[in-house]
Amino acid sequence: MTQRGEKMAPSSKVRQRAHERRAQRRRQQQMRVMIGIGVGALILAALLILISRPPDTSVAETGIDYTGLEQSIDDSLGAPGYVLGNPDAAVTLVDYSDFSCPHCRDLAPVIHRLVDEYVRDGRLRVVYKSVSFVNPPTSEAATSAMICAAEQGKAWEMHDQIWAINEDSGPGAYTQAVFAARAAGLGLDSGQFNSCYTSAETRSIIEAINAEASGRGVVGTPTIFVNDQHVPNTLPDEMYLRLVDAIQAALGS
């Protein structure tokens, strides 16, 4: 035992330092645990807020003005396709896309650029084929919305609203109520839209589009054809350049 005034033995000092180091490690471990719990609680709270947030039903500003651009329906390939642009354009781009597909969502701004650069002056028409391969329940819901908006002449406005919903809340937010609210915001007749949405005819159109896509060898989305020539998909910036090259080649320039 160390008496008052006596120097502590070297072995005692070693034990004391070891004890202090262990105590310090315990305090650090406790602090890390407390920080981890705090961070986890914050993440959980953020997730709960995100999950509980109702989907935005207001009409989104897409930055695309379709005024003056002709919209029509083309079933020459076997099933309805939703056309934007001059029916007699020299070049036709057919886009088989799925509203539950993230790569298709990434392609949408590329299509918007082509609309501004080639559709507005009449050289290109874009035909959108809404397939339901990725997740049929959500994909078919979105396809129904586009079909029923097309019935009232606003397929492409609804196309952009669907992608805006996807961007904001994901395809899990695709419900008839959400689409009906967007349709009303676009000035569509709500009764006609809702009747179309649940009709057997709409269901048959969905099946026909899927059958046509399969018949053309479409196994993934997006699948793009420019004047019947397949343009393999890649990252958006590179895909834009590929599509411009394909369009220019089809125009003979």
Side-chain angles (χ1 to χ4, degrees), residues 226 231-234 237-247:
V226 173
V231 181
N233 188 52
T234 184
D237 289 345
E238 178 64 25
M239 189 60 177
Y240 167 76
L241 296 176
R242 287 186 182 183
L243 290 172
V244 167
D245 287 345
I247 293 167

Side-chain angles (χ1 to χ4, degrees), residues 78-137:
Y82 301 98
V83 183
L84 184 69
N86 175 15
D88 298 320
V91 183
T92 297
L93 183 155
V94 180
D95 177 7
Y96 290 92
S97 279
D98 188 315
F99 282 116
S100 297
C101 163
H103 299 299
C104 301
R105 182 189 62 210
D106 294 342
L107 181 68
V110 173
I111 299 299
H112 284 166
R113 289 184 67 180
L114 298 176
V115 169
D116 284 335
E117 295 168 9
Y118 292 97
V119 175
R120 291 195 188 281
D121 65 11
R123 292 179 293 168
L124 173 71
R125 69 178 191 135
V126 178
V127 184
Y128 193 90
K129 300 277 189 172
S130 181
V131 298
S132 306
F133 291 170
V134 176
N135 183 32

Side-chain angles (χ1 to χ4, degrees), residues 162-248:
I162 295 168
W163 284 129
I165 294 167
N166 187 300
E167 187 72 31
D168 182 64
S169 304
Y174 293 167
T175 66
Q176 182 177 352
V178 168
F179 290 136
R182 295 293 176 112
L186 293 172
L188 304 184
D189 180 276
S190 296
Q192 182 180 344
F193 180 87
N194 284 316
S195 178
C196 169
Y197 192 91
T198 57
S199 71
E201 182 180 357
T202 295
R203 178 69 204 176
S204 68
I205 292 172
I206 293 171
E207 293 172 353
I209 296 171
N210 289 336
E212 178 195 299
S214 296
R216 294 196 74 183
V218 175
V219 294
T221 54
T223 295
I224 309 292
F225 296 92
V226 173
N227 279 8
D228 293 326
Q229 298 298 311
H230 178 230
V231 181
N233 188 52
T234 184
L235 295 175
D237 289 345
E238 178 64 25
M239 189 60 177
Y240 167 76
L241 296 176
R242 287 186 182 183
L243 290 172
V244 167
D245 287 345
I247 293 167
Q248 290 294 142

Side-chain angles (χ1 to χ4, degrees), residues 69-88:
L69 292 175
E70 183 174 351
Q71 297 192 43
S72 57
I73 299 174
D74 182 351
D75 60 1
S76 61
L77 294 174
Y82 301 98
V83 183
L84 184 69
N86 175 15
D88 298 320

